[in-house]
PDB file of all heavy atoms in Angstrom:
ATOM      1  N   ASN B  22       3.453  99.888  44.793  1.00  0.00           N
ATOM      2  CA  ASN B  22       2.754 101.102  44.429  1.00  0.00           C
ATOM      3  C   ASN B  22       3.736 102.271  44.476  1.00  0.00           C
ATOM      4  O   ASN B  22       4.197 102.665  45.534  1.00  0.00           O
ATOM      5  CB  ASN B  22       1.598 101.365  45.388  1.00  0.00           C
ATOM      6  CG  ASN B  22       0.522 100.343  45.201  1.00  0.00           C
ATOM      7  OD1 ASN B  22       0.366  99.801  44.105  1.00  0.00           O
ATOM      8  ND2 ASN B  22      -0.193 100.052  46.263  1.00  0.00           N
ATOM      9  N   GLU B  49       3.028  88.865  33.143  1.00  0.00           N
ATOM     10  CA  GLU B  49       3.785  87.630  32.971  1.00  0.00           C
ATOM     11  C   GLU B  49       4.852  87.881  31.924  1.00  0.00           C
ATOM     12  O   GLU B  49       4.569  88.366  30.834  1.00  0.00           O
ATOM     13  CB  GLU B  49       2.852  86.524  32.516  1.00  0.00           C
ATOM     14  CG  GLU B  49       3.528  85.182  32.482  1.00  0.00           C
ATOM     15  CD  GLU B  49       2.581  84.104  31.983  1.00  0.00           C
ATOM     16  OE1 GLU B  49       1.856  84.364  31.026  1.00  0.00           O
ATOM     17  OE2 GLU B  49       2.604  83.022  32.542  1.00  0.00           O
ATOM     18  N   TYR B 186      -8.037  62.571  48.299  1.00  0.00           N
ATOM     19  CA  TYR B 186      -7.137  63.132  47.296  1.00  0.00           C
ATOM     20  C   TYR B 186      -7.183  64.665  47.238  1.00  0.00           C
ATOM     21  O   TYR B 186      -6.586  65.262  46.347  1.00  0.00           O
ATOM     22  CB  TYR B 186      -7.484  62.575  45.910  1.00  0.00           C
ATOM     23  CG  TYR B 186      -7.502  61.067  45.861  1.00  0.00           C
ATOM     24  CD1 TYR B 186      -8.701  60.376  45.699  1.00  0.00           C
ATOM     25  CD2 TYR B 186      -6.335  60.337  45.987  1.00  0.00           C
ATOM     26  CE1 TYR B 186      -8.727  58.993  45.669  1.00  0.00           C
ATOM     27  CE2 TYR B 186      -6.347  58.953  45.959  1.00  0.00           C
ATOM     28  CZ  TYR B 186      -7.554  58.283  45.795  1.00  0.00           C
ATOM     29  OH  TYR B 186      -7.575  56.923  45.767  1.00  0.00           O
ATOM     30  N   ALA B 230      -5.195  69.343  30.579  1.00  0.00           N
ATOM     31  CA  ALA B 230      -5.581  70.758  30.588  1.00  0.00           C
ATOM     32  C   ALA B 230      -4.507  71.671  30.021  1.00  0.00           C
ATOM     33  O   ALA B 230      -4.695  72.883  29.952  1.00  0.00           O
ATOM     34  CB  ALA B 230      -5.916  71.181  32.018  1.00  0.00           C
ATOM     35  N   ARG B 238       6.652  70.984  33.086  1.00  0.00           N
ATOM     36  CA  ARG B 238       7.030  71.988  34.096  1.00  0.00           C
ATOM     37  C   ARG B 238       6.267  71.767  35.396  1.00  0.00           C
ATOM     38  O   ARG B 238       6.801  71.945  36.478  1.00  0.00           O
ATOM     39  CB  ARG B 238       6.739  73.397  33.576  1.00  0.00           C
ATOM     40  CG  ARG B 238       7.607  73.793  32.393  1.00  0.00           C
ATOM     41  CD  ARG B 238       7.251  75.183  31.935  1.00  0.00           C
ATOM     42  NE  ARG B 238       7.641  76.186  32.913  1.00  0.00           N
ATOM     43  CZ  ARG B 238       7.169  77.425  32.938  1.00  0.00           C
ATOM     44  NH1 ARG B 238       6.287  77.807  32.051  1.00  0.00           N
ATOM     45  NH2 ARG B 238       7.558  78.276  33.852  1.00  0.00           N
ATOM     46  N   ILE B 275      -0.302  75.839  50.302  1.00  0.00           N
ATOM     47  CA  ILE B 275      -1.561  75.270  50.808  1.00  0.00           C
ATOM     48  C   ILE B 275      -1.705  75.611  52.285  1.00  0.00           C
ATOM     49  O   ILE B 275      -2.777  76.018  52.741  1.00  0.00           O
ATOM     50  CB  ILE B 275      -1.590  73.743  50.583  1.00  0.00           C
ATOM     51  CG1 ILE B 275      -1.452  73.419  49.092  1.00  0.00           C
ATOM     52  CG2 ILE B 275      -2.865  73.129  51.151  1.00  0.00           C
ATOM     53  CD1 ILE B 275      -1.215  71.956  48.781  1.00  0.00           C
ATOM     54  N   PRO B 291     -17.655  74.876  50.610  1.00  0.00           N
ATOM     55  CA  PRO B 291     -16.926  76.121  50.405  1.00  0.00           C
ATOM     56  C   PRO B 291     -17.334  77.197  51.418  1.00  0.00           C
ATOM     57  O   PRO B 291     -18.488  77.274  51.813  1.00  0.00           O
ATOM     58  CB  PRO B 291     -17.372  76.527  49.005  1.00  0.00           C
ATOM     59  CG  PRO B 291     -18.760  75.986  48.878  1.00  0.00           C
ATOM     60  CD  PRO B 291     -18.771  74.713  49.659  1.00  0.00           C
ATOM     61  N   GLY B 307     -21.435  77.377  52.149  1.00  0.00           N
ATOM     62  CA  GLY B 307     -22.448  76.661  51.393  1.00  0.00           C
ATOM     63  C   GLY B 307     -22.578  77.205  49.991  1.00  0.00           C
ATOM     64  O   GLY B 307     -21.829  78.093  49.572  1.00  0.00           O
TER      65      GLY B 307
END
Side-chain angles (χ1 to χ4, degrees):
Chain B
N22 291 332
E49 187 182 42
Y186 306 111
R238 294 179 69 197
I275 301 169

